[in-house]
Amino acid sequence: MSEKDRRSLEPKLENFRPAKEGQAPRSLEELSPEEWAHLKEAGFDTQIPKEGEFFQADAHVVQCRSLPEGLELMPVTEALQRYDWIGDYWWKAVSAEKDVYTRATAEDLDEGYFIRVLPGYRLVYPVTACLYIRTPEVVQKVHNLVIVEEGAELNLITSCTTHPGVRSGFHIGVSEFYVKRNGKLTFTMIHEWAEELHVRPRTGIIVEEGGTYVSTYVTLHQVATVQSFPHCRLVGPGARATFGSVVVAPKGSLLDLGAQISLEAPGTRAEIISRSVSTGGETIARGHLIGKAPEIKAHLECQGLMLSDEGAIKAIPQLDAYYANVDMSHEAAVGKIAQEEIEYLMARGLSEEEATSLIVRGFLKVRIEGLPETLQKRIDQAVELARAGL
Amino acid sequence: MKEPLLEVRDLWVEVEGKEVLKGVSLIIPKGETHALFGRNGSGKTTLLMTIMGFPSYRVKHGKIFFKGEDITHLPPYERAQRGIGIMFQRPPTIRGVKLREMLSLCAKENGVKIEELAREFGFEPFLDRDVNRGFSGGELKKSELLQLLVQDPDLALIDEPESGVDVENLQVISRMIRRLLQKDTHRPRTKSGLIITHTGFILQYVPADLGYVMIEGQIYCRGNPLEIFEGIQKHGYEECVSCLRRIGGA
Ligand SMILES: Nc1ncnc2c1ncn2[C@@H]1O[C@H](COP(=O)(O)OP(=O)(O)OP(=O)(O)O)[C@@H](O)[C@H]1O
Ligand SMILES: [Mg+2]
């Protein structure tokens, strides 16, 4: 892809209609079976046990319910009115002035979710959230806020997808996550957008002493462009963060992904693991680890599989150390599937295509430390479902 | 003579531009096990890999017949589907794929009971590990043989099954090969094997019907495997060249 092509891929806000003009359903019952099939593939399933559920179509919150005590789940505009302390969090992990997209979201918000888990509550089941684009050619500007209070625990699964009839659109998602002392937030985001969708997540995370943040990002289907580079700050001693991503770039997709983790207190740990497969599209796997305190440990692992001579995989790791007593490392490897592995499987009776698909699927089954088994299974299932397309 | 299962006819094979096999011919009848001896680098593994059909082993001349069909130019998976299986010496790791899943792919709905087999040979704990990932030398052998048992081929190509295996595991591996080649059955055997061995240990547990010696890409001696092996132990491989002269290549 030439620089010129890439610039033309940069979405312009004025080319999209406001999401507020979208036709939102009054309830989830109004969604068609085709829509449900799509939503399920993106991991939004109303049948699984859960603590709470949030569903936003275009600019409207269609469903928002939470069961247990200890969990606050509401449209973010409601939280802004209800809590006077919210200014301590709002635009504090992501700067409103960061870029044209954050500014547009600050000026004209299309909702988002607010989730707060009260101190000491460890929620067993996940909270599932879905950000859905139901109307063609809209720009959806979402701002989410998650606060996991001291000693609390939350599993949040966010599914992002479109109506099966929507081909083009634009999603901007600002997310600010706060993990307080000894809290734990497991955040899983599954993207299943449309061919001509542009996606700009803008995410900031702040983790306090002893807190843990585990993020997993999955995108396996065609999308025009995604550009995402969360900034995570580990501000208290012993805080940890892990970012895993499982990415397939089909022809026509440009995925510029990564994470920056700033280790600002002694004894913090960080890990970034990415697995990318190009079947003709382009992925950029970035990782930036910044060691701003002594006795920290950080590791970055980028692995890429090129299945086609079209497209590209670019691994861009960066390590910055400011103390002698740090342990920071990275490994990156990009290549094609080892012929030896294909031949091995062929000798067991698999055709070349079957062998390739099995190897790719295995490659994408990355084990993310700290990820609950049920979530790991869901991600593996998503990879299984995508297998036909690989 | 019994019905031939495999026939290799005047096979010349090149690997990476190097001529390795120079006119190999042999016939393995249905139900028989043959043993292949020979110096390091003489071309034994090359013969097995060529029979399995790996593309880097290029057949320059000659033919391979299996069950009467010319398979010289079939890809490995089609040979596997016709009933040829191979035990790899150095199998690769397939990460993210559990041995259990690999085994069910090998089985192709042939009804083989994976769990039972794994349990019988003490390999159950490995079913939920990635294929070959971090397996020890002996574990790799068992993993390979378990895959073959599940695949249940009519012709098993077995490359140095005993190398690097301790005495206890040698028993297990021998039992697996005996099962694979129906050595415990009283009915007429239908399964055939070609086993490469340097030590000859395996032949104490898995009797072979015929032995060969490969020297520089050619098959020299054909005869009683135990006698050939004793001959090699006493006089070295050179003796086989004269042995061939004595028996006239039979
Ligand atoms: N992929 C390859 N590239 C280059 N040379 C090869 C390759 N495979 C085999 N050869 C060469 O072919 C010859 C025969 O090798 P082969 O592995 O068949 O021997 P072998 O009889 O099995 O030996 P060993 O007893 O040591 O296992 C050797 O000289 C080897 O170096
Ligand atoms: Mg060999």
Side-chain angles (χ1 to χ4, degrees):
Chain A
M1 204 179 292
S2 73
E3 281 304 315
K4 187 164 153 286
D5 290 341
R6 187 162 307 139
R7 271 198 304 278
S8 70
L9 284 173
E10 199 58 32
K12 291 201 174 53
L13 287 157
E14 56 270 28
N15 292 343
F16 298 88
R17 292 190 289 146
K20 291 188 180 73
E21 291 177 13
Q23 294 285 316
R26 273 182 307 273
S27 77
L28 292 182
E29 281 75 60
E30 279 182 36
L31 302 178
S32 70
E34 294 75 38
E35 289 184 273
W36 275 115
H38 217 220
L39 287 165
K40 276 206 177 126
E41 254 181 71
F44 188 74
D45 191 338
T46 50
Q47 305 305 318
I48 60 163
K50 55 178 74 175
E51 312 275 6
E53 189 172 82
F54 177 91
F55 187 96
Q56 174 173 345
D58 301 329
H60 305 274
V61 176
V62 181
Q63 170 105 313
C64 181
R65 57 184 181 88
S66 64
L67 298 170
E69 164 190 13
L71 170 66
E72 294 178 1
L73 169 62
M74 64 189 93
V76 79
T77 49
E78 201 178 307
L80 284 168
Q81 285 171 0
R82 190 185 295 188
Y83 296 123
D84 52 9
W85 46 258
I86 210 152
D88 298 342
Y89 300 95
W90 196 243
W91 293 116
K92 292 296 185 289
V94 174
S95 163
E97 293 304 313
K98 184 183 168 67
D99 58 27
V100 50
Y101 309 122
T102 53
R103 275 197 295 275
T105 309
E107 277 164 24
D108 175 34
L109 179 63
D110 295 325
E111 275 299 352
Y113 50 76
F114 171 86
I115 302 173
R116 180 165 169 239
V117 186
L118 299 181
Y121 283 91
R122 298 185 172 271
L123 305 185
V124 182
Y125 298 113
V127 170
T128 61
C130 180
L131 300 166
Y132 187 49
I133 294 186
R134 196 161 187 251
T135 308
E137 270 131 40
V138 299
V139 52
Q140 182 186 47
K141 290 166 292 181
V142 172
H143 190 157
N144 307 308
L145 183 58
V146 177
I147 302 166
V148 175
E149 298 284 3
E150 279 196 25
E153 193 170 326
L154 170 67
N155 282 329
L156 175 60
I157 305 176
T158 304
S159 307
C160 299
T161 189
T162 48
H163 185 284
V166 170
R167 279 177 57 79
S168 104
F170 188 9
H171 170 87
I172 300 171
V174 176
S175 296
E176 299 185 275
F177 298 159
Y178 298 86
V179 182
K180 300 295 186 66
R181 256 189 74 217
N182 298 326
K184 181 177 179 186
L185 172 59
T186 303
F187 175 67
T188 305
M189 183 155 71
I190 303 176
H191 275 178
E192 190 168 333
W193 297 108
E195 303 90 308
E196 286 165 32
L197 228 101
H198 297 278
V199 186
R200 296 292 179 275
R202 294 293 180 261
T203 310
I205 305 109
I206 297 175
V207 188
E208 293 183 359
E209 181 177 351
T212 303
Y213 177 69
V214 178
S215 159
T216 309
Y217 175 67
V218 181
T219 178
L220 306 169
H221 296 87
Q222 194 183 343
V223 50
T225 67
V226 182
Q227 195 253 318
S228 171
F229 194 61
H231 283 45
C232 177
R233 293 177 55 205
L234 303 178
V235 298
R240 291 164 169 249
T242 303
F243 284 78
S245 60
V246 176
V247 173
V248 175
K251 197 169 155 55
S253 293
L254 172 61
L255 308 170
D256 184 343
L257 305 169
Q260 182 190 72
I261 306 176
S262 173
L263 297 96
E264 301 174 13
T268 50
R269 285 164 168 262
E271 189 173 29
I272 300 175
I273 304 169
S274 89
R275 294 270 192 282
S276 340
V277 173
S278 166
T279 57
E282 179 169 337
T283 79
I284 304 170
R286 299 177 194 272
H288 188 185
L289 297 168
I290 308 168
K292 290 185 180 166
E295 283 148 38
I296 57 115
K297 194 172 158 82
H299 181 67
L300 175 60
E301 181 192 311
C302 299
Q303 298 202 28
L305 261 190
M306 284 293 293
L307 296 186
S308 146
D309 287 334
E310 291 175 80
I313 295 179
K314 299 173 185 174
I316 309 175
Q318 184 180 344
L319 306 179
D320 304 348
Y322 295 95
Y323 284 85
N325 192 9
V326 299
D327 175 357
M328 302 178 77
S329 58
H330 79 74
E331 46 184 316
V334 178
K336 64 178 172 69
I337 294 180
Q339 189 60 25
E340 184 198 17
E341 292 177 27
I342 293 185
E343 290 183 355
Y344 182 59
L345 297 172
M346 281 173 80
R348 300 282 182 252
L350 273 65
S351 71
E352 190 162 357
E353 292 70 36
E354 289 170 328
T356 304
S357 151
L358 184 66
I359 293 165
V360 169
R361 202 154 44 102
F363 172 82
L364 290 175
K365 280 193 183 164
V366 49
R367 299 285 118 194
I368 295 144
E369 209 184 311
L371 192 67
E373 192 52 38
T374 47
L375 284 191
Q376 182 78 58
K377 282 209 182 100
R378 305 206 115 227
I379 291 164
D380 291 351
Q381 270 165 15
V383 172
E384 281 312 312
L385 280 172
R387 185 186 180 193
L390 293 174
Chain B
M1 185 153 187
K2 281 186 243 171
E3 188 185 333
L5 182 72
L6 177 82
E7 182 179 356
V8 174
R9 206 181 281 167
D10 193 23
L11 199 63
W12 295 68
V13 172
E14 209 178 88
V15 193
E16 305 286 332
K18 182 185 172 197
E19 194 167 71
V20 180
L21 299 186
K22 300 162 188 170
V24 171
S25 297
L26 58 83
I27 291 176
I28 304 180
K30 190 168 160 182
E32 286 195 9
T33 299
H34 292 185
L36 185 58
F37 308 101
R39 279 200 188 98
N40 293 132
S42 58
K44 303 179 298 296
T45 297
T46 301
L47 176 61
L48 261 52
M49 300 301 257
T50 310
I51 295 171
M52 196 67 231
F54 295 110
S56 47
Y57 297 81
R58 301 192 43 205
V59 176
K60 306 304 281 185
H61 180 83
K63 285 199 180 310
I64 305 168
F65 294 90
F66 186 68
K67 298 179 181 171
E69 180 190 9
D70 182 355
I71 59 159
T72 318
H73 300 290
L74 289 185
Y77 72 93
E78 292 198 17
R79 301 186 197 207
Q81 285 163 6
R82 281 163 174 71
I84 305 181
I86 190 164
M87 176 183 180
F88 281 75
Q89 253 185 319
R90 284 177 224 89
T93 296
I94 311 289
R95 65 179 157 174
V97 178
K98 301 268 172 274
L99 180 61
R100 185 190 301 280
E101 186 182 359
M102 177 86 172
L103 291 171
S104 60
L105 289 168
C106 291
K108 291 240 176 202
E109 291 144 24
N110 64 7
V112 171
K113 302 240 176 358
I114 292 169
E115 303 270 340
E116 267 175 37
L117 269 178
R119 201 173 313 128
E120 182 177 348
F121 297 106
F123 216 61
E124 233 185 344
F126 293 84
L127 291 179
D128 288 311
R129 280 175 59 174
D130 285 2
V131 177
N132 301 334
R133 186 169 195 157
F135 286 14
S136 74
E139 288 160 2
L140 283 175
K141 304 278 181 207
K142 283 200 236 176
S143 160
E144 285 294 296
L145 285 170
L146 193 60
Q147 289 176 44
L148 274 186
L149 279 168
V150 169
Q151 195 184 336
D152 195 25
D154 297 322
L155 174 68
L157 305 168
I158 302 174
D159 202 344
E160 295 186 41
E162 77 275 47
S163 75
V165 176
D166 68 43
V167 279
E168 279 167 24
N169 274 301
L170 183 59
Q171 309 277 341
V172 181
I173 277 167
S174 304
R175 273 200 292 129
M176 294 175 97
I177 299 176
R178 286 183 64 85
R179 175 74 58 86
L180 194 60
L181 299 175
Q182 300 172 323
K183 294 299 184 192
D184 301 307
T185 181
H186 298 294
R187 278 171 285 141
R189 292 188 189 104
T190 54
K191 305 286 183 184
S192 308
L194 181 57
I195 303 178
I196 297 176
T197 174
H198 284 293
T199 66
F201 287 144
I202 197 71
L203 302 181
Q204 295 171 17
Y205 304 94
V206 183
D209 301 287
L210 193 68
Y212 310 96
V213 180
M214 183 162 302
I215 296 178
E216 289 177 26
Q218 291 179 313
I219 292 208
Y220 268 63
C221 200
R222 276 163 230 261
N224 180 306
L226 294 177
E227 285 172 16
I228 292 178
F229 187 66
E230 269 172 35
I232 294 168
Q233 279 183 313
K234 281 202 196 106
H235 312 290
Y237 292 103
E238 279 314 311
E239 183 68 12
C240 296
V241 184
S242 50
C243 160
L244 173 82
R245 275 186 219 117
R246 276 205 300 273
I247 62 167

